[in-house]
């Protein structure tokens, strides 16, 4: 069966309405957050390279490194493949991330072909690349390919948001949250957007954000 693709805010609104009707906690969260963001971005090599750049650094640091890579014209697969380690390091990549960037460039992923693969196939293929874990692959499927029924239970903000919204005694593990999210099909990607939005509302209320 062809997986549903999110194309517009109308898709997000449809998914949010479905979730709010089925899950009282989501109905409450949606009143708190208001309309949810679309958050779609382009697919392809740059999207995954940017995800690698963003790993384990602050948003500000990731933006600064990405700008240096863009300025140096080091965001395409051939340029990354041909670049020396020193050139990539001077743009702000760690030695480990240089290896990851090179691995991605050498993987020769057919990004157009990914668009018609199942989410499970996408995650399986992407995670074969050094430096790309399940979380990164699921986020790519969600935001770069617009998959409506993908979730990223390894995300700490999603875990914490679920703990607060569903009044759990402790933050669910990745496995526990993946099982919880099965009930939110076929709109798990919208559930993720709602949980992220609610996370910000809840933490602002606590004075953390």
């Amino acid at each position: 069966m062809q997986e549903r693709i999110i194309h517009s805010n109308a898709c997000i609104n449809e998914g949010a309405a479905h979730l709010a009707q089925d899950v009282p906690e989501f109905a409450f969260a949606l009143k708190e957050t208001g309309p949810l963001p679309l958050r779609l971005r382009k697919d392809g090599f740059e999207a995954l390279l940017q995800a690698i750049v963003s790993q384990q650094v602050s948003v500000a640091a990731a933006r600064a490194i990405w700008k240096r890579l863009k300025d140096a014209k080091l965001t395409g697969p051939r340029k990354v493949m041909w670049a020396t380690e020193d050139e990539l390091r001077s743009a702000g990549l760690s030695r480990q991330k240089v290896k990851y960037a090179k691995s991605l460039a050498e993987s020769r992923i057919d990004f157009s072909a990914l668009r018609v693969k199942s989410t499970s196939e996408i995650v399986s293929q992407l995670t074969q690349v050094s430096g790309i874990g399940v979380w990164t692959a699921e986020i790519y499927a969600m935001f770069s390919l617009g998959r409506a029924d993908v979730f990223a239970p390894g995300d700490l903000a999603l875990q914490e948001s679920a703990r607060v919204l569903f009044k759990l005694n402790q933050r669910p593990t990745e496995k526990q949250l993946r099982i919880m999210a099965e009930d939110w099909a076929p709109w798990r990607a919208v559930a993720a957007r709602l949980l992220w939005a609610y996370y910000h509302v809840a933490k602002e209320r606590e004075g953390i954000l």
Side-chain angles (χ1 to χ4, degrees):
M1 187 174 70
Q2 184 66 38
E3 293 182 37
R4 174 134 190 191
I5 306 297
I6 290 173
H7 295 288
S8 65
N9 284 312
C11 299
I12 299 292
N13 294 340
E14 181 185 345
H18 175 94
L19 291 165
Q21 186 174 18
D22 283 3
V23 184
E25 291 87 350
F26 282 144
F28 169 77
L30 196 58
K31 288 178 182 176
E32 296 286 298
T33 65
L36 302 175
L38 184 58
R39 292 185 68 172
L40 292 183
R41 57 180 78 126
K42 289 183 179 180
D43 65 337
F45 179 86
E46 279 198 19
L48 281 173
L49 180 61
Q50 195 163 13
I52 288 171
V53 167
S54 300
Q55 290 171 2
Q56 297 179 318
V57 297
S58 69
V59 172
R63 284 176 180 160
I65 294 167
W66 186 250
K67 184 179 185 305
R68 289 200 292 273
L69 286 169
K70 292 281 279 186
D71 290 345
K73 295 183 170 54
L74 291 173
T75 57
R78 285 187 293 275
K79 291 294 182 69
V80 170
M81 202 182 300
W82 295 335
T84 66
E85 180 176 333
D86 286 345
E87 286 173 327
L88 292 168
R89 294 266 291 153
S90 67
L93 293 184
S94 65
R95 280 195 173 83
Q96 188 77 297
K97 287 187 180 179
V98 168
K99 290 179 183 176
Y100 293 162
K102 292 278 191 182
S103 178
L104 177 61
E106 291 161 6
S107 68
R108 301 186 184 278
I109 294 169
D110 183 342
F111 289 101
S112 296
L114 284 184
R115 295 172 189 163
V116 296
K117 290 185 182 242
S118 69
T119 296
S120 61
E121 288 174 323
I122 292 163
V123 172
S124 177
Q125 182 172 345
L126 292 183
T127 52
Q128 291 176 33
V129 179
S130 180
I132 297 179
V134 172
W135 179 86
T136 300
E138 288 173 333
I139 292 294
Y140 181 84
M142 191 184 300
F143 294 130
S144 291
L145 297 177
R147 297 305 170 93
D149 199 32
V150 62
F151 200 71
D155 189 277
L156 292 179
L158 290 182
Q159 293 171 10
E160 177 63 11
S161 184
R163 181 191 70 78
V164 175
L165 181 60
F166 290 91
K167 297 181 171 57
L168 305 176
N169 291 328
Q170 58 189 17
R171 185 185 294 168
T173 64
E174 179 175 351
K175 183 178 180 180
Q176 289 167 339
L177 187 53
R178 192 177 293 279
I179 292 169
M180 276 183 71
E182 289 175 2
D183 290 338
W184 308 332
W187 290 106
R188 280 177 276 193
V190 178
R193 286 169 170 83
L194 182 47
L195 284 170
W196 274 313
Y198 185 72
Y199 174 84
H200 285 280
V201 169
K203 294 307 172 183
E204 281 176 1
R205 189 173 294 143
E206 293 174 14
I208 294 174
L209 292 176

